[in-house]
Amino acid sequence: MWEQALGFGVEIPFVELLGFELIAFADGRSEIHYPPTPAHLNSFNVTHGGALMTLLDVTMATAARSVTP
């Protein structure tokens, strides 16, 4: 359901695994909440950079797709 809202129209297992929650999606803006779990932490006990960059990537793509599907 949420993948279609993003405009991808396909299942994205990695996004589902990370637990991203779409909050806003309109007019060139998007907001996605991400509650990292212990499985998403690195050896410093902070959210892994790859997970954060995925959040950035999906949020920017969602914002763009809100005006150009």
Side-chain angles (χ1 to χ4, degrees):
M1 173 173 80
W2 108 274
E3 291 80 18
Q4 291 177 340
L6 289 177
F8 294 110
V10 297
E11 215 175 294
I12 305 172
F14 188 56
V15 169
E16 291 177 16
L17 178 68
L18 290 171
F20 291 178
E21 180 185 1
L22 181 63
I23 302 299
F25 173 65
D27 303 321
R29 298 183 56 164
S30 69
E31 179 181 343
I32 297 175
H33 287 189
Y34 169 46
T37 67
H40 304 149
L41 305 181
N42 64 20
S43 60
F44 294 107
N45 207 35
V46 298
T47 305
H48 190 282
L52 294 175
M53 291 301 104
T54 300
L55 175 61
L56 176 63
D57 177 59
V58 173
T59 302
M60 291 185 338
T62 304
R65 288 175 186 265
S66 73
V67 293
T68 307

